[in-house]
Amino acid sequence: MSPAADPIEAAALAALDGRLVVVPTDTVYGIGTRPDDPRATARLFDAKGRPRDLELPVLVPSTEAARRIAAFDHRAEVLALHFWAGALTIVLPRSESARSWDLGDDAATIGVRMPHDPLALAVLARTGPLAVTSANRSGAATPATCDELRATFGAAVDVYLCAPEPLGGSASTAVELLHDVPRVLRRGAVSERDVLAALREHV
């Protein structure tokens, strides 16, 4: 199969070229691009109408890849072991390699997650980390089908990688590990109780 005929390869190549792609995840559809190209992330902010004080999260193909762009401490290792691949975003200080990425107004932190969806992981295996956020206009519900997504974003997205069934999941839970006390920034698919229990088990 040629790269042009392979939708996973087409999505990976488009993202690496700084264009926008839509991919299914284990939570909701995501829209993303390469994180290290400021022109690419600017396209992502524009397409969503997303304010820059909301940082773009980054999806990774592995915990090892996350460690290269975020400063993991013991708590992050525990949460990644318990909940990845899965629906937990961990907000950490950026590593030096990601310090220059234009993901929003805060250049000191980064939200990372390893998704469970096989199509998303197949793309990430080819690209490495991608800036991916929910595929919706800022403040609106995230469409569950590619037809709805095409109606929302049209030609602003270069490749739509579609799941066989509509996606109706919850957003990922986001937990911040920037200070001594963990803080849940967004409640989602992983319960706050489970997150805190996992951390207490490994104090």
Side-chain angles (χ1 to χ4, degrees):
M1 179 179 287
S2 68
D6 180 350
I8 292 172
E9 191 72 13
L13 291 173
L16 288 172
D17 195 41
R19 292 171 284 158
L20 301 184
V21 299
V22 160
V23 296
T25 78
D26 46 327
T27 55
V28 295
Y29 272 104
I31 180 172
T33 190
R34 63 184 303 157
D36 58 344
D37 180 347
R39 294 170 300 180
T41 53
R43 290 187 192 102
L44 186 48
F45 277 109
D46 289 345
K48 278 184 60 88
R50 184 182 178 93
R52 290 185 55 84
D53 61 348
L54 294 177
E55 298 292 305
L56 296 172
V58 175
L59 295 187
V60 294
S62 65
T63 304
E64 180 183 358
R67 292 191 195 104
R68 289 195 289 268
I69 62 175
F72 266 54
D73 61 10
H74 172 69
R75 298 171 301 170
E77 296 287 355
V78 167
L79 293 181
L81 180 65
H82 272 72
F83 299 109
W84 286 2
L88 183 70
T89 298
I90 307 173
V91 179
L92 296 162
R94 295 195 198 190
S95 70
E96 188 61 36
S97 64
R99 198 66 54 78
S100 65
W101 293 1
D102 184 13
L103 302 174
D105 289 341
D106 182 1
T109 67
I110 190 167
V112 291
R113 180 168 84 88
M114 180 184 174
H116 194 264
D117 185 270
L119 289 176
L121 287 172
V123 173
L124 292 164
R126 291 160 170 79
T127 62
L130 292 178
V132 178
T133 181
S134 56
N136 61 316
R137 300 287 189 189
S138 190
T142 303
T145 70
C146 266
D147 285 344
E148 295 172 298
L149 288 161
R150 289 189 181 97
T152 300
F153 293 109
V157 168
D158 196 76
V159 175
Y160 291 85
L161 187 60
C162 300
E165 302 293 336
L167 295 186
S170 302
S172 68
T173 299
V175 60
E176 176 196 274
L177 299 180
L178 302 177
H179 307 287
D180 290 342
V181 178
R183 185 161 66 105
V184 174
L185 302 177
R186 180 180 66 203
R187 290 177 172 83
V190 176
S191 75
E192 180 175 0
R193 180 182 61 187
D194 288 347
V195 169
L196 297 179
L199 290 171
R200 281 196 300 270
E201 287 174 15
H202 294 82
V203 171

